[in-house]
Amino acid sequence: MKKFLAWLLGWREFQVAGETPAAFLNLCAGAGVPLLKMLPQAGGTLLVRTTLWQSLTLEALAREAGYPLTQVGAGGVPVFLRRFRRRYALWAGLALAVVLFAVGSRTVLTIDVVGCEDLPEEAVLAQLRLCGVAVGTYAPGVEVRQVENRMLRTMDSLTFCAVNLQGTRVEVVVREREDPPDLRPEDQPGDVVSAADGVITHIEPWAGDAQVQVGDAVLEGEVLIAGAMELDPTPPLEGSLGTKLVHAEGLVMAQTWRTFTAEIPLTAQEKVYTGEEWVRCTLSLGGKRVKIFGKSGIPAENYDTMTEQKVCTPLPGKTLPVIWEKETCRAYTLEETTLDRDQAEEMLRTRLLADLDQALDQGEVLRTDWAVEEEDGMLRVTLLAQCREQIGREVPLTQQTKESTPLDQGEEGAP
């Protein structure tokens, strides 16, 4: 322990001469000067070692008592650092390293999001940044409870949010909101109307009265299943028991005809690269970009930018907010070119079939016919499709219909 303290605080060794060296040791003991080492030397001298800050007291005692004192050695941390006292750049670097260590150990370097299923992590990180937590944030200055409350208030898709600070790492645990089941509004009267023109091929009224039969032609918006149900007496009697408003629903299949059109110009502008390139490199430290080299402006009017990024990953799965980014800009000119007609037509056909598939609701395509025409440099493709699909769409009853329909009341003269 004494050796460690002597190394940490620094030490000096002296050679003491005189007729009675033992008397000098008594003076040191009386003055409370600790001696880390005492060795007799040839010629009646004495070798003593003391701490650096007690060496001045030792020199004063020797002068007063008349003992010649000669320094023969020194060591320890203070003596070592004294060699660099005029190297100001070294001291500035040491001070900067201490500051960076003190600040960096409390700075957010990584943010991990746990619990995202349908919600993208980027959305959580973006909102977290607006709440004051991002890479480079000073962790002790983060009000965790305020951040959690703001996240829940601003993101309706979250029902739970916890922010855990773990040194330079922030763990954000979220729980997404579950959508309520899509329940049929039993208390809201409504009709089933046609979503498209067609010919009825099958109808199943689950609630309400069917207004059409198989083989009837219907127009878009026409009522297929009415929500105003006639109440028939049992056994059949003269008159009527009136009507009852219900939320109509059912399955209505019909044969429909759909038309889709798409067009594309047969001439386009093609990129032709000139061979000129410009490279820019930047270093991102905690979200702050520092330009290393490269031009800030690009003299070309048209150019493509390709970006390569390398992230500092000292450990597998652990990244630091240090990103080396290289941007390569390639200049190009635009030249007019003619598209291949067959390829353009195939592309339009594929797009129209995708639109048809998206438009069908519980149906199938029975037949397709195509019409292709070229006019004024434009290629136009038309798809004529014969389909069998579900055309029933539930809509609420209007207020006028409700007021004109007696609810659970019979006509005058009904029994």
Side-chain angles (χ1 to χ4, degrees):
M1 186 63 180
K2 290 183 179 181
K3 292 183 178 180
F4 175 74
L5 290 176
W7 174 82
L8 184 62
L9 301 177
W11 53 268
R12 295 174 68 186
E13 282 187 351
F14 299 94
Q15 189 175 33
V16 183
E19 297 180 357
T20 58
F24 179 75
L25 297 179
N26 293 333
L27 288 174
C28 293
V33 178
L35 298 178
L36 305 177
K37 184 178 181 181
M38 296 172 291
L39 292 176
Q41 302 290 315
T45 61
L46 183 66
L47 183 67
V48 296
R49 176 185 293 182
T50 186
T51 58
L52 191 64
W53 60 279
Q54 288 286 356
S55 61
L56 298 179
T57 305
L58 185 66
E59 289 178 330
L61 287 175
R63 283 195 302 268
E64 293 177 1
Y67 287 90
L69 203 64
T70 305
Q71 180 176 329
V72 295
V77 174
V79 176
F80 174 78
L81 294 179
R82 188 179 298 173
R83 302 175 186 174
F84 306 98
R85 62 184 180 276
R86 296 187 181 277
R87 300 185 180 182
Y88 305 113
L90 180 62
W91 287 107
L94 179 61
L96 180 61
V98 172
V99 172
L100 290 179
F101 176 78
V103 176
S105 61
R106 297 188 175 187
T107 302
V108 176
L109 299 181
T110 57
I111 301 178
D112 297 330
V113 180
V114 180
C116 284
E117 295 181 0
D118 298 329
L119 185 67
E121 294 185 5
E122 291 76 12
V124 178
L125 293 175
Q127 186 59 46
L128 197 66
R129 186 181 302 109
L130 296 178
C131 294
V133 180
V135 174
T137 303
Y138 188 58
V142 176
E143 297 291 340
V144 175
R145 295 295 172 262
Q146 293 184 9
V147 172
E148 294 173 347
N149 292 335
R150 287 186 60 186
M151 290 288 292
L152 293 176
R153 288 198 304 267
T154 54
M155 300 193 71
D156 297 334
S157 56
L158 297 183
T159 59
F160 175 81
C161 178
V163 179
N164 302 319
L165 299 178
Q166 302 172 354
T168 60
R169 175 177 174 266
V170 175
E171 182 185 47
V172 183
V173 182
V174 297
R175 185 178 302 154
E176 299 180 12
R177 186 184 303 275
E178 296 182 0
D179 295 331
D182 187 13
L183 300 177
R184 184 165 62 93
E186 299 283 353
D187 57 342
Q188 181 180 1
D191 292 332
V192 175
V193 301
S194 175
D197 300 344
V199 177
I200 303 299
T201 59
H202 178 77
I203 182 168
E204 291 183 20
W206 301 333
D209 286 340
Q211 303 297 303
V212 294
Q213 298 178 351
V214 174
D216 290 349
V218 296
L219 300 176
E220 182 179 357
E222 184 175 343
V223 177
L224 305 178
I225 303 176
M229 297 181 59
E230 293 288 341
L231 300 177
D232 298 326
T234 304
L237 301 174
E238 293 183 1
S240 172
L241 295 181
T243 59
K244 180 180 180 181
L245 298 181
V246 298
H247 184 90
E249 63 175 340
L251 176 65
V252 183
M253 302 297 295
Q255 183 174 321
T256 60
W257 292 263
R258 291 183 175 270
T259 303
F260 296 89
T261 302
E263 60 182 13
I264 188 175
L266 291 177
T267 59
Q269 291 188 331
E270 182 182 9
K271 294 181 181 180
V272 178
Y273 291 99
T274 62
E276 295 182 277
E277 292 188 356
W278 297 269
V279 178
R280 295 182 296 191
C281 293
T282 56
L283 184 65
S284 177
L285 301 174
K288 306 296 184 180
R289 292 168 59 90
V290 179
K291 179 181 175 182
I292 304 301
F293 67 89
K295 297 181 180 180
S296 57
I298 305 300
E301 180 179 359
N302 299 320
Y303 61 91
D304 285 339
T305 302
M306 295 177 292
T307 303
E308 301 178 17
Q309 291 184 341
K310 293 184 179 180
V311 182
C312 180
T313 308
L315 297 175
K318 301 295 182 181
T319 60
L320 294 178
V322 180
I323 303 175
W324 174 264
E325 185 175 289
K326 177 183 177 182
E327 291 185 351
T328 303
C329 302
R330 301 175 60 191
Y332 66 85
T333 58
L334 296 176
E335 296 183 2
E336 190 170 293
T337 183
T338 302
L339 300 181
D340 183 87
R341 188 182 184 282
D342 294 337
Q343 292 182 354
E345 180 180 343
E346 183 63 27
M347 181 181 65
L348 293 180
R349 286 174 178 260
T350 303
R351 183 193 304 175
L352 292 177
L353 289 175
D355 294 341
L356 174 61
D357 183 69
Q358 185 177 5
L360 290 182
D361 180 19
Q362 302 180 24
E364 59 179 342
V365 179
L366 302 179
R367 178 180 174 180
T368 58
D369 294 315
W370 300 89
V372 182
E373 58 182 351
E374 183 179 341
E375 182 179 359
D376 297 333
M378 298 291 293
L379 179 65
R380 183 178 295 105
V381 178
T382 302
L383 169 62
L384 305 174
Q386 181 181 354
C387 310
R388 182 177 181 271
E389 59 178 307
Q390 205 283 118
I391 63 171
R393 183 179 71 239
E394 299 178 7
V395 296
L397 287 178
T398 62
Q399 187 66 28
Q400 181 180 0
T401 305
K402 294 180 182 179
E403 293 175 354
S404 62
T405 304
L407 181 61
D408 294 337
Q409 293 181 354
E411 297 179 354
E412 185 178 354

